[in-house]
Every structure is written in C-alpha cells, then in structure tokens.
Amino acid sequence: MALIRNGFLAADGYSPVPADAPLPATGPLLLTLPQWQAWRTELIERGTPVGVRLASDEHPEALAADTNHLSLIALEFPSFRDGRAYSYARLLRDRFGYTGELRAVGDVLPDQLLYMQRVGFDAFEIDSNDPVADYEDAIGGFSVVYQPSGDERVPALRLRHG
Amino acid sequence: MYRYDEFDHQLVTERVEQFRKQVDRRLAGKLTEDQFKPLRLMNGLYLQLHAYMLRVNVPYGVLSARQLRKLADIARRYDRGYGHFTTRQNIQYNWVSLADTPDILADLATVEMNAMQSSGNCVRNITADPFAGRARDEIEDPRVWCELIRQYSILNPEFAYLPRKFKIAVTGAPNDRAAVGVHDIGLRMHHDADGRPGFEVLVGGGQGRTPVIGKTIRDWIEPEEILAYIEAILRVYNLHGRRDNLYKARIKILVNALGIDKFREMVDAEWEAIRGQGLTVPEAEQARIAQYFRPPAWASLRDIDAELELQATADPAFGAWLNSNVSAHKAPGYAIVSLSLKAPGREPGDLSADKMDAVATLADLYSLGELRVTHRQNLVLPDVRQADLKELFRELVSLELATPNIGLLTDMIACPGLDYCALANARSIPVAQDISRHFTAVDKLQEIGALSINISGCMNACGHHHVGNIGILGVDKKGKEFFQITLGGASDQNATLGDRLGPGLPQAEVPGAIEAIVDTYLAQRESEQETFLATYRRVGIDPFKTAVYGEEPVRRVA
Amino acid sequence: MTQVLTANRLDDGRVVFLTPTGDWSPDLNDACTVSDDDAAQELSAVGALAEAACTVIGPYLIEVLEDEGQLQAAAIREAIRAAGPTVQAGQF
Ligand code: SF4
C-alpha cells in the first residue's frame, strides 16, 4: 500500500489504535468514530493531530461539528463499486467546511482517482507499483469538466462565457 | 441540432484516449476483468452471448444524416454490416472486438458521438420525445434541457458509482412519447399562467422485476434550477439507495421504502442546501444551447390536406401509410414521417449499413439532414414537406421502410433476447417475427387500430413488456422457452402496468393467443374509436382470459 | 454427463471452447469432452489459468450431447452461443 498526498508519495504519520486499547499518550492518531467520540474532549485539549476513519455506513454528519479539530478524515471504499464516499466527500468539503486531509482508503483503484480528486479527496491509499505515475495519469487525463463538483476546476458551462 | 464546441470535442477526445490506455492495459494483462468491467461498461462496451456489444448514445434520439452515415461505416468496418436501435434511442453493434473499440470511439468522435455512460451504474443517455421541436402538440422543446442534463451527467465524478443505473426521460408535449412515467426521473415540461416553461418532476418509475410508475415529487421547478434539483435527487439516492441487493438497488425501491413524502423531504432539504449556487444554469449558456435548437429554415407553406386526401384515394397503400406513419408537424405544409423498422418477418429495430446510408440520403433530400430515433425502435424524418410525401413514400417502399404500421399491432418493441443477450431467458425476436407474419393484412391492422405489443426476453424488461398494451415476457421453464402475456399496460401520460393474463405459452401458441385477444377486443369494443386499451380498461381481463385459455381454468406447466 | 469448457476470447469476445491440445476453438466440435468430475475440475483449472493469462474471460463448464459424432450443447442458451443467433441478422 502506498500513500499519495497532494500528488506525492508520502509517509502516513498517523497510527491507528487497536480496539479496546487505551488512548495512547502521544502522537498523531487515526481513530475510529467511536474512539473519537470517547476521547474527543481530551484530544481537543491536547491539540495533537487527530484523524478519523469512517466506515462506509458512517455518515460524515457525525463529524460536522468537529471538522476544525481534525487534520485527517479517511473515507472507506468497501468495494470500488460503492460510490457513497464520493457524496460523503462533497458534503465534508462543501457543507461541513472540512479543509484537512481527505483520504480515500479501501478498494481504491487508480482509474478512480480523478473522480475522487474531483469531489475533494487529496490523499489516496493505493496498491500500485508506481503510484505517482498512476496518479498523474489519472488526474492529468482530462482538461475539460462539465459540472462543478467542489474542486477548483471551472466547468465548461462557465468557461464558455468567460 | 447541438454541435460540439472546442470543450465538447476536447472532452470526448480525452475520453477516447483514456479508454485506449485502459484497453491496452487490459490486453496486456495489467487489469483483471473484474477491474476492467466497470471501465468498459462506462464506455458502452458489454460482453454479450457471442461477442462484445458496443452501445452508442444517440443523445435524446437526435441524429444527423452525417452521423448515420458514420454509423453505417462503423457497422461495415468493425461489425457485421448492421446495427440495432434500442428502446433507449441508442444503437448497438453486436460483433465488435475489444481491440477495435478505441478506434470505433475515435471514429464516432469525428461526428460528435460517443458511448460514454451508455452502461454502468451511472446516469445513462437522456431520452426524449422523438418528435421534440416538431410536434404540433408540443408545449416546449425539451432538447435544450436534455443537452444541459447530458453535459451535467457526463463524467460526473460524484455519481459514477450509483447503487444502480439511472435513466432520465424528458417530454415537452402533453402526449407522452418518451415514457417518462417509467424512468428513474421523468421530466414533463409545462407552462405557467404567463407562458413561462417549467418542469414537473416524476421520480421512482421503472420497469424490470419490480415495475413502478413514477410519482410526481414536484409539480414545478424553474428550468434554470433543474440541474440542482436533479443533483439533490441523485445525492439522496447515492447515499441511501440499497447496495446489498442488485434487484433492490434502483431508486424506485428507495422511494417506495421511504414513501414519496419522506423522500421529497430529504430531496428538498438537499436542494435547499445547494440552490442558487454553481448548478444554476447561466442564462448565457441556456441561450447558447437554445440557438442550436432554433427551428430550421422552414419554407412558408400551407397544409395540403385536400391534395393528400386525393392522392390517398388514388393510392390506398399511400393512404394507409399516411394514416399511420405520418404525424402532424408544427410548421404548416410540413409533416413528421416515421420509418418503420418492423417490416413483416424482420428483426425489430435492426438496420443494415446499406439501408442506413440510403436513409441518410433521404434525410438530406427530404428532411433538412436530420433524423430521430424513437424508443419504439423506429426512425423519423422530422421535417418533410407534405408535397414531397408521395415521392418519399415511393422511395421508402423500395427500401422496405414504409410498412404502414406505426402505432399498430405489428409495430412491436422487441429486445435482443436470447439470440444475443447474455441475461435472456427466451428469444424475443422470433416471437415478434411470428406475430408480424401472422398479421400482414393492412386493413386488418388499421381496423384494430392503436395497439402496442412489447416483448422482453427476461425480467429486466428492456422490451418494456410491462407497459405494452399487450406485453410478452420470455421465461425459462426447465430449459424450455415460454411466454407470459400481460394486458393493459401503457407508457403514455396515463401510464399503467399490464396485468398478467395467465400461464406462459410456448412460442408456437403466441400468435394464436394474440389473435384471440384481438378478436375479443373487436367483438367487445363499443365503437371503432374505442381503442384496445380503452376497451380493456372498460371490460377487464376476464373475456380475454376465456378467449385464450377457455372457460375452465387450465393448468399448464409454466 | 459429458461436459466441455467454454469462455469468451478476451480480444474479440468470440465464444470459444477448450480443445484437447489446450487451445481455444470457436468450433464446439473441437472441444475436449470430459465425463467425470475429476476431469471436469482439471478443465476448470486450465480455464482459470487461461483467464489469469488474459486469453479468455469467464470460463465455465457446459453440458453437451453427442449425436452421430457431432457435439450439441444441451441447454438452448449454450446451443445459441455455439451456433450464433437463430435469426437472420443483418439482412434488412
Ligand atoms: S429484457 Fe432481458 S433478454 Fe431482453 S435485452 Fe434486456 S436483459 Fe436481455
């Protein structure tokens, strides 16, 4: 598994916490939603980087009030065919104002990176021999888009009219 | 019709190149079939019974003569010299190879066509009234909005992996020729008191295993807000539609499970959150697209009803054709001509490359170079001068495209069925052929009047059997093909689902059963004006049951 | 029960059958027939390898009948797959 962040190979830096384990004393953590909810107050006070990994049936609304406190949200694709996380990503970015790292995890295929990037993901955990090349291939393939989707690309229907 | 600008060209070209690379990776063994399948499907490529099948979009059924020539060329170069027009107003090639597909797509791009999202769990080709912009009964030309929705849906990143496929149909006429009631979203255009257009939105219609007529979720949406409203529906569906069971994944199941009121509440909440932002259609863009759909330069002519009547009396064959295959046009002195792809004994919807070329020539000569594809699998010349009808008729007769049966019993819809389709239970085409050979007498067909027979080879209902006045569904019973008949379906503005008549029949008995049904109708109808459907709705299913199965309830194998 | 292994060829999608020499032929009569479970499993294993090697897609066993030296697929679906559509396509 490789992690691509903003187009570059990156070290993860966040550690998951095993179920039933106590809250570790330090370090950037990647928590499940229940863990975050249990340790929320303490972690906000502590101020170290915290990420939450949402399962595909956990609606990001659960984090709507916390987007300022989180530096990573990972959304799970249980199968590449399950497209819920595309909408979750848009809600997190457009509705809940989340600006931190939004990471796609699970069954993430190189051919889907463009779509994921367009809805707001900026980090991807992919299984690939050459993840940077895959990423660049996928993202660079299109210079025209037809619809706004939360990214900075300007859709054709606006470009046409200046 | 709409013409691509630099942006459209660029996008399609980039898409072809993307797919070319994906095909290369697949052929080189770098993608598994499991990974490749959704990619090829979203480029219109299926694997059917015998080979790959490529489904090419005909956006809302509008086609130019130039495009049809290219379709003919593709049929010859990459396929076996023919194509099949479908109930989604598209064309399918049955014998393409994977390695050729990127080249086919590149060829299509030269005439501003593509196969993007003609399959897959995404928004499919937008369908519309095939008479859009021409029909005399039309309130508003829906094609501008179809094009806007088409562009909105193409490569839409958020909705490429919906729970299931998603079909949108649009009509701007009170007589619904687009079957909007059996689509995931159906749009009907109306005018308000000031004559301004707007949309009535239906949601949750569909066929397949669980047929449902769509329900009105909103009776008025301002046109410039339609994309935002569609996005709200798509988002609610993407988030809440079922993904655990293929057969319960369509939006109709979600709407039924929540109830239309709850579903509306969710959509409205979503809509409120995104209203008035990036999806509001800019006026300039609306105007830009509208100019492509301005009426062509029709000559100022007068209707020539009296003359046509004289010609019809002199030539009854012409008269019969005029009666059934020619429809009223907005512009005086013009007519809309339907070309029947249902000659007796033919495969419904199929057309050879040579005939495609011939039809393209006729479109140039007689119809300002434009054509339409109908969801009943016929072609249309939308701008024919009434004064040319007689001559055009002669040309069409020699091409076997003038069978006077549009809207009549032998104008059957038939899906490809077990002759081509990997999902089929039974063959649809031979059943249609049998029926069309059984009912060849033109006077008899005209006497019977408006009657739709729709045939599907399995529960997926691509042949729209649920909404045929007579529906025929192929089923498999212990390895044998049987056909279940339904009666009373309709896909127009008063859409209904058919009722099952009784146990399935073997293929050989189907034409006889249809004859018994038709004879019962003729005996029961109150006047020649009472259509089959009206009679059925009045008298119910019992007399038809008796006519087909006899007085005693019969037990059969199927 | 006599069985053969069928699939679609990857590049052109055509229906093919596994032959005794390990090739794939569009002709059902070239197919390698087996009549016991072990042999059928061996065919399937060859098919799985061919799929992994991207020669064919979706190999599976079908039942065939032998009639005067000619093989005939038992199920109508497979008979149509082996012989092509039963309608005269492309004549119109
Ligand atoms: S209705 Fe069934 S048999 Fe007919 S085309 Fe659709 S899936 Fe195939």
Side-chain angles (χ1 to χ4, degrees):
Chain A
M1 255 335 150
L3 178 66
I4 295 282
R5 188 184 282 142
N6 294 316
F8 297 100
L9 210 52
D12 185 349
Y14 289 83
S15 319
V17 180
D20 300 330
L23 173 60
T26 56
L29 302 172
L30 180 57
L31 307 177
T32 63
L33 182 61
Q35 285 171 331
W36 164 250
Q37 284 163 340
W39 300 326
R40 183 176 179 278
T41 325
E42 207 177 327
L43 282 170
I44 290 175
E45 219 160 88
R46 200 191 273 182
T48 50
V50 183
V52 174
R53 177 181 172 130
L54 294 180
S56 58
D57 52 3
E58 289 170 336
H59 196 290
E61 196 149 32
L63 300 176
D66 297 341
T67 49
N68 287 337
H69 305 301
L70 299 173
S71 52
L72 165 66
I73 295 177
L75 298 178
E76 214 171 81
F77 289 82
S79 143
F80 68 82
R81 289 183 199 82
D82 187 332
R84 278 176 291 182
Y86 294 96
S87 287
Y88 290 154
R90 290 214 59 190
L91 291 176
L92 277 166
R93 292 293 194 210
D94 301 354
R95 191 99 16 109
F96 308 138
Y98 177 65
T99 54
E101 175 180 342
L102 189 56
R103 188 187 294 178
V105 299
D107 197 8
V108 176
L109 302 183
D111 288 289
Q112 297 179 310
L113 296 184
L114 175 65
Y115 283 170
M116 291 179 180
Q117 198 253 5
R118 287 214 59 209
V119 295
F121 287 100
D122 52 11
F124 312 90
E125 232 174 66
I126 48 173
D127 190 5
S128 158
N129 297 330
D130 195 351
V132 175
D134 280 348
Y135 174 84
E136 283 170 359
D137 251 16
I139 303 296
F142 288 86
S143 57
V144 177
V145 301
Y146 271 143
Q147 58 293 102
S149 69
D151 61 355
E152 71 292 348
R153 291 181 177 85
V154 183
L157 89 168
R158 309 245 163 234
L159 283 180
R160 281 170 175 140
H161 308 286
Chain B
M1 61 189 287
Y2 185 70
R3 298 299 309 265
Y4 282 10
D5 68 1
E6 62 202 283
F7 298 103
D8 303 309
H9 274 295
Q10 185 70 20
L11 185 135
V12 171
T13 307
E14 288 171 344
R15 177 63 160 188
V16 173
E17 287 321 305
Q18 180 195 43
F19 190 54
R20 195 183 291 283
K21 286 189 199 159
Q22 290 166 342
V23 169
D24 286 347
R25 280 158 60 210
R26 175 66 182 126
L27 290 171
K30 290 182 188 142
L31 283 174
T32 65
E33 183 59 17
D34 198 41
Q35 292 168 336
F36 180 62
K37 191 175 168 186
L39 304 177
R40 69 166 158 77
L41 288 177
M42 278 192 251
N43 284 286
L45 193 66
Y46 282 76
L47 183 61
Q48 287 291 29
L49 220 44
H50 310 289
Y52 290 104
M53 178 271 275
L54 181 68
R55 180 183 294 153
V56 177
N57 292 317
V58 178
Y60 33 95
V62 179
L63 197 63
S64 70
R66 177 167 160 259
Q67 290 174 326
L68 186 56
R69 278 193 198 95
K70 181 56 79 179
L71 294 177
D73 182 50
I74 288 170
R76 263 188 220 105
R77 279 212 281 159
Y78 301 103
D79 203 271
R80 297 196 177 169
Y82 69 103
H84 173 76
F85 290 99
T86 77
T87 51
R88 302 258 330 133
Q89 299 176 300
N90 291 328
I91 183 170
Q92 295 181 176
Y93 295 107
N94 292 302
W95 305 96
V96 301
S97 92
L98 174 60
D100 282 342
T101 307
D103 290 337
I104 302 176
L105 296 177
D107 280 10
L108 285 168
T110 64
V111 292
E112 304 173 17
M113 296 184 82
N114 65 70
M116 285 185 273
Q117 296 179 199
S118 63
S119 177
N121 292 335
C122 48
V123 179
R124 305 286 189 88
N125 183 34
I126 315 299
T127 55
D129 184 350
F131 296 173
R134 301 296 183 269
R136 206 164 272 189
D137 67 347
E138 185 170 270
I139 299 169
E140 187 73 24
D141 185 349
R143 290 171 302 166
V144 182
W145 306 101
C146 292
E147 179 58 27
L148 277 158
I149 300 168
R150 183 191 77 80
Q151 295 192 16
Y152 163 75
S153 64
I154 288 295
L155 307 192
N156 190 317
E158 187 179 348
F159 306 120
Y161 292 89
L162 293 168
R164 201 74 180 84
K165 58 189 167 184
F166 202 90
K167 300 176 180 177
I168 302 178
V170 194
T171 179
N175 296 301
D176 180 358
R177 288 171 288 260
V180 302
V182 286
H183 283 76
D184 297 284
I185 291 181
L187 300 175
R188 283 193 191 125
M189 298 202 79
H190 299 288
H191 278 176
D192 66 8
D194 302 324
R196 278 182 30 84
F199 289 99
E200 175 192 351
V201 182
L202 282 77
V203 71
Q207 304 192 56
R209 226 160 262 251
T210 321
V212 185
I213 303 294
K215 298 165 192 71
T216 297
I217 179 166
R218 253 199 121 84
D219 47 25
W220 190 263
I221 294 279
E222 298 292 334
E224 62 273 16
E225 295 201 83
I226 194 67
L227 297 184
Y229 196 72
I230 290 173
E231 175 146 313
I233 293 176
L234 284 170
R235 188 165 297 142
V236 169
Y237 172 52
N238 193 37
L239 288 173
H240 301 282
R242 286 182 63 173
R243 292 176 187 268
D244 58 332
N245 180 336
L246 187 67
Y247 300 115
K248 296 194 173 1
R250 293 288 289 268
I251 196 174
K252 61 193 172 187
I253 305 290
L254 177 66
V255 173
N256 279 355
L258 293 169
I260 183 71
D261 293 325
K262 175 72 188 155
F263 183 76
R264 181 184 298 117
E265 216 176 90
M266 292 164 75
V267 170
D268 281 353
E270 190 55 45
W271 185 42
E272 281 308 326
I274 60 176
R275 267 185 102 165
Q277 301 164 36
L279 284 169
T280 305
V281 179
E283 227 167 275
E285 178 67 355
Q286 214 185 108
R288 182 188 77 89
I289 294 182
Q291 74 184 358
Y292 291 107
F293 297 109
R294 274 205 308 254
W298 291 315
S300 103
L301 303 170
R302 283 209 318 252
D303 284 339
I304 53 165
D305 298 351
E307 198 177 311
L308 290 174
E309 219 162 282
L310 278 178
Q311 290 175 352
T313 324
D315 180 355
F318 177 66
W321 177 78
L322 211 52
N323 237 335
S324 50
N325 295 25
V326 178
S327 311
H329 195 287
K330 269 190 185 167
Y334 281 85
I336 302 170
V337 173
S338 296
L339 278 48
S340 171
L341 304 188
K342 320 288 173 63
R346 295 304 187 184
E347 298 77 30
D350 278 14
L351 197 63
S352 68
D354 291 350
K355 289 198 182 177
M356 287 182 209
D357 277 338
V359 170
T361 304
L362 294 181
D364 276 336
L365 280 175
Y366 294 102
S367 186
L368 306 172
E370 196 178 307
L371 295 125
R372 305 290 174 85
V373 182
T374 78
H375 87 273
R376 295 203 62 85
Q377 302 176 284
N378 294 308
L379 294 177
V380 169
L381 296 179
D383 288 304
V384 178
R385 289 179 186 219
Q386 292 172 5
D388 291 341
L389 284 170
K390 192 70 203 281
E391 211 177 294
L392 174 62
F393 171 66
R394 262 197 300 263
E395 304 246 30
L396 290 174
V397 168
S398 69
L399 290 170
E400 277 186 283
L401 293 169
T403 312
N405 62 356
I406 299 295
L408 304 181
L409 185 150
T410 53
D411 181 13
M412 284 168 282
I413 288 180
C415 78
L418 191 51
D419 282 301
Y420 294 97
C421 176
L423 302 170
N425 286 325
R427 282 169 289 171
S428 316
I429 301 168
V431 175
Q433 291 173 317
D434 283 357
I435 295 171
S436 73
R437 288 195 199 99
H438 196 90
F439 290 90
T440 44
V442 171
D443 341 344
K444 176 84 176 186
L445 290 179
Q446 302 237 343
E447 186 199 348
I448 299 164
L451 175 59
S452 58
I453 299 186
N454 296 357
I455 310 170
S456 303
C458 78
M459 281 311 273
N460 289 320
C462 306
H464 293 192
H465 66 276
H466 296 296
V467 290
N469 296 166
I470 299 177
I472 301 177
L473 165 66
V475 293
D476 170 286
K477 280 282 156 188
K478 304 201 177 85
K480 297 248 178 322
E481 297 165 285
F482 280 84
F483 296 89
Q484 268 171 16
I485 295 177
T486 50
L487 296 183
S491 67
D492 61 4
Q493 58 283 4
N494 303 308
T496 46
L497 302 169
D499 310 309
R500 193 170 153 207
L501 183 67
L505 304 169
Q507 186 186 329
E509 289 178 29
V510 173
I514 302 298
E515 177 153 29
I517 291 165
V518 165
D519 287 344
T520 306
Y521 154 62
L522 292 174
Q524 297 270 349
R525 74 178 174 189
E526 285 183 328
S527 73
E528 282 179 25
Q529 277 68 51
E530 193 181 54
T531 60
F532 174 84
L533 190 61
T535 301
Y536 175 79
R537 285 173 177 166
R538 181 172 54 78
V539 306
I541 203 165
D542 289 341
F544 297 97
K545 253 191 187 139
T546 311
V548 173
Y549 296 103
E551 291 292 345
E552 295 296 314
V554 192
R555 294 237 165 268
R556 280 183 194 252
V557 265
Chain C
M1 182 167 83
T2 311
Q3 291 182 304
V4 305
L5 191 77
T6 183
N8 289 78
R9 216 153 42 194
L10 174 69
D11 55 354
D12 63 2
R14 291 304 134 80
V15 174
V16 285
F17 302 91
L18 183 65
T19 70
T21 58
D23 296 325
W24 295 87
S25 164
D27 187 346
L28 173 58
N29 279 302
D30 294 341
C32 171
T33 56
V34 296
S35 41
D36 64 79
D37 282 356
D38 288 348
Q41 269 184 6
E42 271 173 44
L43 281 195
S44 297
V46 175
L49 283 178
E51 185 167 37
C54 289
T55 315
V56 298
I57 315 170
Y60 60 100
L61 293 161
I62 62 165
E63 190 187 339
V64 294
L65 310 167
E66 274 192 77
D67 188 21
E68 293 178 7
Q70 294 289 305
L71 292 181
Q72 173 76 36
I76 176 159
R77 177 183 195 275
E78 295 308 327
I80 293 173
R81 265 185 93 243
T86 64
V87 292
Q88 276 217 326
Q91 303 301 303
F92 184 55

